[in-house]
Amino acid sequence: MLTVSVKWQKKVFESIEIDTSQPPFVFKAQLYDLSGVPPERQKIMVKGGLLKDDADWSTLGLKNGQKLMMMGTADEIVKAPEKGPVFMEDLPEEQQAANLGYSAGLVNLGNTCYMNSTMQCLISVPELKSELSNYQSARTKDVDQTSHMLTVATRELFSELDKSVKAVAPMPFWMVLQKKYPQFAQLHNGNHMQQDAEECWTQMLYTLSQSLKLPSPSEDPDAVKALFGLNLLNRLHCQESSEESSETESVFSLKCHISHEVNHLHEGLKHGLKGELEKTSPSLGRTAVYVKESLIDSLPRYLTVQFVRFFWKRESNQKAKILRKVDYPLELDIYDLCSEDLRKKLEAPRQKLRDIEGQKLGLQASAKSSSKGDDVKMTDAEGSSNQSGESSTGDQQEGASPHMTGIYDLVSVLTHKGRSADSGHYVAWVKQESGKWVQYDDANTSLQRGEDIIKLSGGGDWHMAYIVMYKARLISM
Amino acid sequence: MAPTQDPNSVGGGAKKDEATLKVPSKDPKKKDEKKDEDLSEEDLELKQNLELYVERVQDPNPELQKAALESMRQEIRASTSSMTSVPKPLKFLRPHYGTLKAFHETMADSDLKKYLSDILSVLALTMSADGERESLRFRLIGTEGDIGSWGHEYVRNLAGEIAQEYTKRQSEEASIDDLMELVQQIVAFHMKHNAETEAVDLLMDVEDLDLLLEHVDKTNFKRTCNYLTSAARYLPGPDDMLVLDISYMIYMKFEEYPNALQIALFLDNTQYVKQVFTSCTDLLKKKQFCYMIARHGITFELDDEMVADDDDREALQDIVNNTKLSEGYLTLARDIEVMEAKTPEDIYKAHLLDGRASSGASVDSARQNLAATFVNAFVNAGFGQDKLMTVPSDSTTGSSGNWLFKNKEHGKTSAAASLGMIQLWDVDSGLSQLDKYFHSNDNPIIAGALLGVGIVNCGIKNDCDPALALLGDYIDKEDSSVRIGAIMGLGISYAGSQNDQIRNKLSPILNDAKAPLDVIAFASLSLGMIYVGSCNEEVAQSIIFALMDRSEAELGDALTRFLPLGLGLLYLGKQESVEATAEVSKTFNEKIRKYCDMTLLSCAYAGTGNVLKVQDLLAQCGEHLEKGDIHQGPAVLGLAMVAMSEELGVDMEIRSLERMLQYGEQNIRRAVPLALGLLCISNPKVTVMDTLSRLSHDTDSEVAMSAIISLGLIGAGTNNARIAGMLRNLSSYYYKDMSLLFCVRIAQGLVHMGKGLLTLSPFHSERFLLSPTALAGIVTLLHACLDMKPIILGKYHYVLYFLVLAMQPRMMLTVDENLKPLSVPVRVGQAVDVVGQAGRPKTITGFQTHSTPVLLAAGERAELATDKYIPLSPILEGFIILKENPDYREE
């Protein structure tokens, strides 16, 4: 008969008697009484070994008063959950892309950053993407071969970008683009030359507007035009003859002219909509100076503004750049650039928008008043405001009747860094649906802060905005 | 007589002339004596007297001679107190040195000649040409009187000449008895006059330090030993050992046992340690010794010779076994109020990074969850609670089981093992927490539980050997992950124990032809750890055979590097003892030969500061190699290992590593950040921090990765805000690169290790002692980091847990005579080097007063701010027992 003490967790069971004639299992049963740990879960440590159920006490060399240690719990054994978690590493690439929250970058194929940044800006327009996916792969007669190929290549590129996490090399697209517009294939010292992103942008939109015109002729003849195009009402006025004429013109973008007085996008736009030109006056019978004033007659879903930063410098024979700082807002209101008719149309939606915003600001106050005064109208308005709020950020098509408000939100910026249009570096900065800004610098993508986007306004050698794209804030009535 | 040519006044010539013009007009008496015009009346008299003595000395009448010599001696003695300028009598006697010398030659041997020799010896102090050692020559034939009476400067000069003469005579094998007699006198003089350092210097020059023992006394032994121990760092072997031996003997002589123990531990001399125990009679002091041994992390068995009483011995052994470490650590944590568990998110502080960090983390990333597991383990290490693993498992959501299963495959091993880290040092509750995972049917989880048991027992010894009992059965299991878990667990828990039972279990694996390479690699590592610094032949043999048996393909595997490393650890810090094995390693396959060579060299000389070895390693790094050779990595690490022992070496090494960054090949550049990390481990020096920060953005991702890990290492356990900020920015900079982000997370976990209460520094006791097991742990991790992709970023990420060997609380905890925590005021400040300073200089500067327990940062020292208690160890680190001061009076 031996007496030992057993340490278990923080407790010590003193003076336990071991009947050495019985197998150790009996001892374990004793411990079960004390600790509640079932014998099969008990691990009793005796000098660097475990006590086996069938061990012989005499061989263990136990001494009276020896301390033993027991390990074991009556806890439940950990079981693996039925369904293990899904790890990002196990997902196919496209799903990883979806989790990333934004699409991949584009590899620079040798001075193709102008093309990469242009395409990154365009891909951020979901409507364009859906139009492209509806585009038939078979060519119709009305589209020339190269335009068709370019459109298909664009579609392929967009879908590829959506799927992948790693940067995509836009080789097929690049080949087709060169075929369609040979000026982009110009070589200099055996390398492709840097090109003007604005030219690429304009040509791409032109091609797409040509090829996407046809499939759904019934509703909207030109999808691209509906998205990007705006009508200008030009009024020509000759001061000498007091002649007046007006015409409408359809353009894809507004120009922001930069002169010494221009400090802000708004001023530049105004400046760009006013001009003088010489033309033969029918009444005077000679050329006279006409003042041309333009007003916006219809608003696009996406308003593109080009900063006219480059001008042809005859002395140096190249496109020189104006580095002047021109601020642009995250939220642009072009109400005062609109024609009378359009302004009238905009009145009601704008009022509504103001109401909603006012309500949002004074949300608590209105909630109080509605609870007190049982104001059914008010709650109605609130309900609709929520709806419209969603529809304006989400899918516009679903809203009952989305109306333009003349207010636009900045969605993408194409910047240029360098001193002339044919050199330097183009980068795209695009706002994601999540509200985060992403910088697409060829293959590299990185998250940016909203504040930093407005800082791309020029005035130094840092990236400065060249083309900005605004998205209309819509409201359902 | 010509005007005296005083070399000291050459520059003042113009001024003197000016004075010359004025003086005569005022003092007509001196008109005639143009040559002495610049002398005052007193000086003139002195000069004339001396000239008279010189003449008289040459007088044939011995009486007159004697009187003259006596007077001359008087004059000189009266003046040589300070040597800021040449004393007047010496100056005036200079022109006569030649005359006197010539006369001395002609004299017959007599007392007078001896007298004259004395005077000539003093005159030679300023006159003798370099290398002539005339002062010494005349001294030896002069009277054997009290040399001190001629002043300090004379003695100092004499000591210098003795050293020169000694080396000369040594080479000629001439007798040195007469010199030694003089040395005796000089040492006695120095030791009496607060010039211990000079006495020690002289004795080191004449290689007879034993003389010191006769001359030290209560007032000067501390300064003497202080100088000896710090000089030992700069001496070549075996002189350094000799010097330490002497200082050990001096400490023992004056019963300064804690210091004696320190040196015994430094020398790794168990005999000396025993001697300290047997010589000391105070039980309380012995307890303090046990705390010191426990901190050093060696296995030490007390026997009845050292402590007679059984109960006492058990109590002391408990301290050596570190069983109270967890308790003390938790006391510290409660006092500092950091018991609240932290989540990885508390560490990442992503909210400080405006919206750039987490983008759409809707799906779990296995890599990031694994990183969170490690961060959680490091941050909550030793606290016994966390928010991922130990939360009560009954709640259906967010239970511990769930976090475990949020890790993928081998990730579960690290997750289960992290429980061991959280329960670190608390064997009882740790084992009960881990128990449930033993019954899992998932192999990685079992492997993790086994490794966890090893981690919990790290540095803790227990009579029941729970780790061996639990892990022993698993090392021969089928699944290699389970085997590795058990093997690594044993290596961690028995590091430094030299346990033969484990060796018998592990050695067969090494030479088992069927065992997979990873199992063999970890077995070799574990054996290296268990026998660290033991030079054990048998283990070395097994590893060597294992290395020879590897096929060409296996030698190319990244894990193979653990085999030479295991071998190197056996010789950690053992210098020449490695040579036989190094010779054998030359026969290895050329793929591994140089790697092995570098590893052995760097391990054997780790912490010695041996300059020659640093040069050897530098030469290796200077070569520009063809691709494929990997031995320069360990060579760069070796530089840091050798040089890390003292501040000067560290600074020099940091500078030369900077050079290597500029000129080295890519494989060197990858190792440099790791070397920097080792040099400044848990010691965030700003310059190093900046270098690493720069490298963390390197275009080579492997350089960046090692720089990031090293940022974690230098900040380990410091909560350094600057490094934390850098890492936070890196986490957003690399948010897309999963591998780099993983490294950033690990580094973040390291910086906040133990919520800032821990250190990884293998040095302790005022940077004097180097804990071999701690160094082994760090070096292993660094070697693993030389090739991150297959090891840490692959499925062997649990090698990160080797760091546990170096983890120690950076605390000072005072306890009373019953070993219960006792709070007293202490001053904590920057340590000041007081070696060789006279008097009782302040040991700390810029201090603040706290009450214990307190945290000590790198380079900080504490001292008691009260006289009420007397600490039982002069080195206030770790556990300190306080005794009440019997002389204390309340004011």
Coordinates of all heavy atoms in Angstrom, one line a residue, chain A residues 392-434:
Chain A
S392 N -30.8 56.1 -57.3 CA -29.8 57.0 -57.9 C -28.4 56.5 -57.8 O -27.6 56.7 -58.6 CB -29.9 58.4 -57.2 OG -29.5 58.3 -55.9
T393 N -28.2 55.8 -56.7 CA -26.8 55.2 -56.6 C -26.8 53.8 -57.3 O -25.8 53.5 -57.9 CB -26.4 55.0 -55.1 OG1 -27.5 54.3 -54.4 CG2 -26.1 56.3 -54.5
G394 N -27.9 53.1 -57.2 CA -27.9 51.8 -57.8 C -28.2 51.8 -59.3 O -27.7 52.5 -60.0
D395 N -29.2 51.0 -59.6 CA -29.6 50.8 -61.0 C -30.6 51.9 -61.3 O -31.7 51.9 -60.8 CB -30.1 49.4 -61.2 CG -30.0 49.0 -62.6 OD1 -29.7 49.9 -63.4 OD2 -30.4 47.9 -63.0
Q396 N -30.3 52.7 -62.3 CA -31.2 53.7 -62.6 C -32.4 53.2 -63.4 O -33.5 53.8 -63.3 CB -30.5 54.8 -63.5 CG -29.6 55.7 -62.7 CD -28.2 55.1 -62.5 OE1 -28.0 53.9 -62.9 NE2 -27.3 55.8 -62.0
Q397 N -32.2 52.1 -64.1 CA -33.3 51.7 -64.9 C -34.6 51.3 -64.2 O -35.7 51.4 -64.7 CB -32.9 50.4 -65.7 CG -31.5 50.5 -66.4 CD -31.5 51.5 -67.5 OE1 -32.5 51.9 -68.0 NE2 -30.3 52.0 -67.8
E398 N -34.4 51.0 -62.9 CA -35.5 50.5 -62.2 C -36.5 51.5 -61.7 O -37.6 51.3 -61.5 CB -35.1 49.6 -61.0 CG -35.0 48.1 -61.4 CD -34.5 47.3 -60.2 OE1 -34.9 47.5 -59.1 OE2 -33.6 46.4 -60.5
G399 N -35.9 52.7 -61.4 CA -36.7 53.8 -60.9 C -37.9 54.1 -61.8 O -37.8 53.9 -63.0
A400 N -39.0 54.4 -61.3 CA -40.2 54.6 -62.1 C -39.9 55.5 -63.2 O -40.1 55.2 -64.4 CB -41.3 55.2 -61.2
S401 N -39.5 56.8 -63.0 CA -39.1 57.7 -64.1 C -38.0 58.5 -63.6 O -38.2 59.5 -62.9 CB -40.3 58.5 -64.4 OG -40.8 59.1 -63.2
P402 N -36.8 58.1 -63.9 CA -35.7 58.9 -63.4 C -35.5 60.2 -64.1 O -35.7 60.3 -65.3 CB -34.4 58.0 -63.7 CG -34.9 57.0 -64.7 CD -36.4 56.9 -64.6
H403 N -35.3 61.2 -63.3 CA -35.2 62.5 -63.9 C -33.9 63.1 -63.6 O -33.3 62.9 -62.5 CB -36.3 63.5 -63.3 CG -37.6 63.2 -63.8 ND1 -38.1 63.8 -64.9 CD2 -38.6 62.4 -63.4 CE1 -39.3 63.4 -65.2 NE2 -39.7 62.5 -64.3
M404 N -33.4 63.9 -64.6 CA -32.1 64.6 -64.4 C -32.3 65.7 -63.4 O -33.4 66.3 -63.3 CB -31.7 65.2 -65.7 CG -31.3 64.2 -66.7 SD -29.6 63.6 -66.4 CE -29.5 62.3 -67.6
T405 N -31.3 66.0 -62.7 CA -31.4 67.1 -61.7 C -30.3 68.2 -62.1 O -30.3 69.3 -61.5 CB -31.1 66.7 -60.3 OG1 -29.8 66.0 -60.3 CG2 -32.1 65.7 -59.8
G406 N -29.5 67.9 -63.0 CA -28.4 68.9 -63.3 C -27.3 68.8 -62.4 O -26.3 69.5 -62.4
I407 N -27.4 67.9 -61.4 CA -26.3 67.7 -60.5 C -25.5 66.4 -60.8 O -26.2 65.4 -61.1 CB -26.8 67.7 -59.0 CG1 -27.4 69.1 -58.7 CG2 -25.8 67.3 -58.0 CD1 -28.1 69.2 -57.4
Y408 N -24.2 66.5 -60.8 CA -23.4 65.4 -61.2 C -22.4 65.0 -60.1 O -21.9 65.9 -59.4 CB -22.7 65.7 -62.5 CG -23.6 65.7 -63.7 CD1 -24.3 66.8 -64.1 CD2 -23.6 64.5 -64.5 CE1 -25.1 66.7 -65.2 CE2 -24.4 64.5 -65.6 CZ -25.2 65.6 -66.0 OH -26.0 65.5 -67.1
D409 N -22.1 63.7 -60.0 CA -21.1 63.3 -59.1 C -19.9 62.8 -59.8 O -20.0 62.0 -60.8 CB -21.6 62.1 -58.2 CG -22.7 62.6 -57.3 OD1 -22.4 63.6 -56.6 OD2 -23.8 62.0 -57.3
L410 N -18.7 63.1 -59.3 CA -17.5 62.7 -60.0 C -17.3 61.2 -59.9 O -17.5 60.6 -58.8 CB -16.3 63.4 -59.3 CG -14.9 63.2 -60.0 CD1 -14.9 63.9 -61.3 CD2 -13.9 63.8 -59.1
V411 N -17.1 60.5 -61.0 CA -16.9 59.1 -61.0 C -15.5 58.6 -61.5 O -15.0 57.6 -61.0 CB -18.0 58.3 -61.7 CG1 -19.2 58.3 -60.9 CG2 -18.2 58.8 -63.1
S412 N -14.9 59.4 -62.4 CA -13.6 58.9 -62.8 C -12.8 60.1 -63.3 O -13.3 61.1 -63.8 CB -13.6 57.8 -63.8 OG -14.2 58.3 -65.0
V413 N -11.5 60.0 -63.1 CA -10.6 61.1 -63.5 C -9.4 60.4 -64.2 O -8.9 59.4 -63.8 CB -10.0 61.8 -62.2 CG1 -9.1 62.9 -62.7 CG2 -11.1 62.3 -61.4
L414 N -9.1 61.0 -65.4 CA -7.9 60.5 -66.1 C -6.9 61.6 -66.0 O -7.2 62.8 -66.4 CB -8.3 60.3 -67.6 CG -7.4 59.5 -68.4 CD1 -8.1 58.8 -69.6 CD2 -6.3 60.4 -69.0
T415 N -5.8 61.3 -65.5 CA -4.8 62.3 -65.2 C -3.6 62.1 -66.1 O -3.3 61.0 -66.6 CB -4.3 62.3 -63.7 OG1 -3.7 61.0 -63.5 CG2 -5.4 62.5 -62.8
H416 N -2.9 63.2 -66.2 CA -1.6 63.2 -67.0 C -0.5 63.8 -66.1 O -0.7 64.7 -65.4 CB -1.8 64.0 -68.3 CG -0.5 64.0 -69.1 ND1 0.3 65.1 -69.1 CD2 0.0 63.1 -69.9 CE1 1.3 64.9 -69.9 NE2 1.2 63.6 -70.4
K417 N 0.6 63.2 -66.2 CA 1.8 63.7 -65.5 C 2.9 63.8 -66.5 O 3.2 62.9 -67.3 CB 2.2 62.6 -64.5 CG 3.3 63.1 -63.5 CD 3.6 62.0 -62.6 CE 4.8 62.4 -61.7 NZ 5.2 61.3 -60.9
G418 N 3.4 65.0 -66.6 CA 4.5 65.3 -67.6 C 4.2 66.6 -68.3 O 3.3 67.3 -67.9
R419 N 5.1 66.9 -69.2 CA 5.0 68.3 -69.8 C 4.4 68.4 -71.1 O 4.1 69.4 -71.6 CB 6.4 68.9 -69.8 CG 7.0 69.2 -68.4 CD 6.1 70.3 -67.8 NE 6.5 70.6 -66.4 CZ 7.1 71.7 -66.1 NH1 7.5 72.6 -66.9 NH2 7.4 71.9 -64.8
S420 N 4.2 67.3 -71.9 CA 3.5 67.4 -73.1 C 2.6 66.2 -73.4 O 2.8 65.1 -72.7 CB 4.5 67.6 -74.3 OG 5.0 66.3 -74.7
A421 N 1.7 66.3 -74.3 CA 0.7 65.3 -74.5 C 1.3 64.0 -74.9 O 0.8 62.9 -74.6 CB -0.4 65.8 -75.5
D422 N 2.3 64.1 -75.7 CA 2.9 62.8 -76.3 C 4.0 62.2 -75.4 O 4.7 61.3 -75.8 CB 3.5 63.1 -77.7 CG 2.3 63.6 -78.6 OD1 1.2 63.3 -78.3 OD2 2.6 64.4 -79.5
S423 N 4.1 62.8 -74.2 CA 5.1 62.2 -73.3 C 4.4 62.1 -71.9 O 3.3 62.5 -71.8 CB 6.4 63.0 -73.2 OG 6.1 64.2 -72.7
G424 N 5.1 61.7 -71.0 CA 4.6 61.7 -69.6 C 3.8 60.4 -69.4 O 3.9 59.4 -70.1
H425 N 2.9 60.4 -68.4 CA 2.3 59.2 -68.0 C 0.8 59.5 -67.7 O 0.4 60.5 -67.1 CB 3.0 58.7 -66.7 CG 2.5 57.3 -66.3 ND1 2.3 56.3 -67.2 CD2 2.1 56.9 -65.1 CE1 1.8 55.2 -66.6 NE2 1.7 55.6 -65.3
Y426 N -0.1 58.6 -68.2 CA -1.5 58.7 -67.9 C -1.9 57.7 -66.9 O -1.5 56.5 -66.9 CB -2.3 58.4 -69.2 CG -2.2 59.5 -70.2 CD1 -1.4 59.4 -71.3 CD2 -3.0 60.7 -70.1 CE1 -1.3 60.4 -72.3 CE2 -2.9 61.7 -71.0 CZ -2.1 61.5 -72.1 OH -2.0 62.5 -73.1
V427 N -2.8 58.1 -66.0 CA -3.3 57.2 -64.9 C -4.8 57.5 -64.8 O -5.2 58.6 -64.9 CB -2.6 57.5 -63.6 CG1 -3.2 56.8 -62.5 CG2 -1.1 57.1 -63.7
A428 N -5.5 56.4 -64.5 CA -7.0 56.5 -64.3 C -7.3 56.4 -62.8 O -6.7 55.6 -62.1 CB -7.7 55.5 -65.1
W429 N -8.2 57.2 -62.3 CA -8.7 57.1 -60.9 C -10.2 56.9 -61.0 O -10.9 57.8 -61.5 CB -8.3 58.4 -60.2 CG -6.9 58.9 -60.4 CD1 -6.4 59.3 -61.5 CD2 -5.9 59.0 -59.4 NE1 -5.1 59.7 -61.4 CE2 -4.7 59.5 -60.0 CE3 -5.9 58.7 -58.0 CZ2 -3.6 59.7 -59.4 CZ3 -4.7 59.0 -57.4 CH2 -3.5 59.4 -58.0
V430 N -10.6 55.8 -60.5 CA -12.0 55.5 -60.7 C -12.7 55.2 -59.4 O -12.2 54.5 -58.5 CB -12.1 54.2 -61.7 CG1 -13.6 53.9 -61.9 CG2 -11.4 54.5 -63.0
K431 N -13.9 55.7 -59.3 CA -14.7 55.5 -58.1 C -15.5 54.2 -58.3 O -16.1 54.0 -59.3 CB -15.7 56.6 -57.9 CG -16.4 56.6 -56.5 CD -17.3 57.8 -56.4 CE -17.9 57.9 -55.0 NZ -18.7 59.1 -54.9
Q432 N -15.4 53.3 -57.3 CA -16.1 52.0 -57.3 C -17.5 52.1 -56.8 O -17.9 53.1 -56.2 CB -15.3 51.0 -56.5 CG -13.9 50.9 -56.9 CD -13.7 50.4 -58.3 OE1 -14.3 49.4 -58.7 NE2 -12.8 51.1 -59.1
E433 N -18.3 51.1 -57.0 CA -19.6 51.1 -56.5 C -19.7 51.2 -55.0 O -20.6 51.7 -54.4 CB -20.4 49.9 -57.0 CG -20.9 50.0 -58.4 CD -21.5 48.8 -58.9 OE1 -22.3 48.2 -58.2 OE2 -21.3 48.4 -60.1
S434 N -18.6 50.7 -54.4 CA -18.6 50.7 -52.9 C -18.3 52.1 -52.4 O -18.3 52.4 -51.2 CB -17.5 49.8 -52.5 OG -16.2 50.2 -53.0

